[in-house]
Amino acid sequence: MDKRLRGVDVYAGEGAIRWPRVKGAGYDFAFVKATQGITLQDKRWSANVLGAQQAGLVVGSYHFFEPTGDATAQAKAFLAKVGGHENLVGQLRPVLDAEKRGGMTVRQYTDSVKAFIHVIETEVGVTPILYLSRDYATRQVYGAELVACRLWLAQWQQATPKWPIGPWVTWTFWQDSAYATVAGMPNVGGVDTDVFAGGPDELQKLIVR
């Protein structure tokens, strides 16, 4: 493991996580799934957020976007789960996980993503982080309209991602694997791991205040 800040992103399917062991293995931050679509709520969200925070990790929450559901309703469902600005103070900015365009056109999908972002900006006062694969960042959305969002890039390989990635000139987070084994996590060989592009001071700048 290198000296860059490392993290994991998790959901209920990981099982019961022993967060002190994750921290002890050298991980610094965690993104925790909160919601999906309009009605799905992750049953381990509260336990994971609390456990990670108590272990000393910096924590953020994410929403898995469903193209079949109204974007504004999805954003409101996410905020109903995680809370508004006051509840999110001290956590990393919310994340929109956009990896399913479904039958939408690129125009429709981009507009829907923008509608979700608008609700978060209005209610929380920060621009959310946007999780995209390279294909989605370059072909499945009109990235120039979304570039105000920090990019969390999904690209599972050993080498650092190459540029350009659509209009983004840098990545902020990089999901470098979906097949890791992490101490304290029972999902052996199936953990998502991440790298942060900066140091502790830069990570602090992404915390809601």
Side-chain angles (χ1 to χ4, degrees):
M1 185 175 297
D2 57 35
K3 295 181 180 179
R4 292 180 294 186
L5 297 184
R6 302 280 303 181
V8 294
D9 55 280
V10 304
Y11 72 112
E14 310 284 356
I17 299 171
R18 291 176 286 177
W19 285 104
R21 291 198 64 195
V22 176
K23 177 65 175 177
Y27 290 86
D28 306 285
F29 62 89
F31 286 109
V32 179
K33 184 177 182 179
T35 49
Q36 178 172 335
I38 297 173
T39 59
L40 192 153
Q41 298 187 0
D42 191 284
K43 64 183 180 181
R44 290 191 181 273
W45 174 78
S46 296
N48 279 329
V49 169
L50 182 60
Q53 288 176 326
Q54 289 179 338
L57 284 83
V58 181
V59 180
S61 297
Y62 73 90
H63 173 81
F64 189 97
F65 193 72
E66 290 284 5
T68 54
D70 178 79
T72 298
Q74 290 190 60
K76 290 184 180 298
F78 173 74
L79 292 176
K81 180 69 173 178
V82 304
H85 178 269
E86 184 176 346
N87 296 73
L88 294 174
V89 168
Q91 298 185 30
L92 291 167
R93 295 182 185 185
V95 174
L96 176 59
D97 178 342
E99 57 183 273
K100 289 176 64 177
R101 182 161 65 86
M104 283 183 162
T105 66
V106 174
R107 176 76 272 157
Q108 290 170 331
Y109 190 64
T110 301
D111 286 345
S112 197
V113 168
K114 287 167 65 177
F116 185 100
I117 291 168
H118 176 72
V119 173
I120 302 302
E121 289 178 331
T122 301
E123 299 296 328
V124 184
V126 298
T127 299
I129 297 162
L130 187 57
Y131 172 99
L132 297 168
S133 67
R134 178 180 288 273
D135 176 61
Y136 266 64
T138 57
R139 299 175 54 201
Q140 308 299 333
V141 295
Y142 291 124
E145 300 178 23
L146 303 170
V147 74
C149 296
R150 297 293 192 103
L151 176 63
W152 177 6
L153 176 68
Q155 185 170 314
W156 308 333
Q157 62 180 45
Q158 296 299 316
T160 300
K162 296 180 180 180
W163 301 106
I165 301 175
W168 282 274
V169 296
T170 185
W171 51 268
T172 300
F173 294 94
W174 166 32
Q175 186 184 73
D176 62 340
S177 179
Y179 308 106
T181 296
V182 176
M185 298 185 65
N187 189 15
V188 176
V191 177
D192 294 343
T193 57
D194 306 280
V195 177
F196 178 60
D201 290 343
E202 287 78 15
L203 189 64
Q204 287 295 314
K205 293 176 183 177
L206 295 179
I207 290 177
V208 178
R209 303 189 185 283

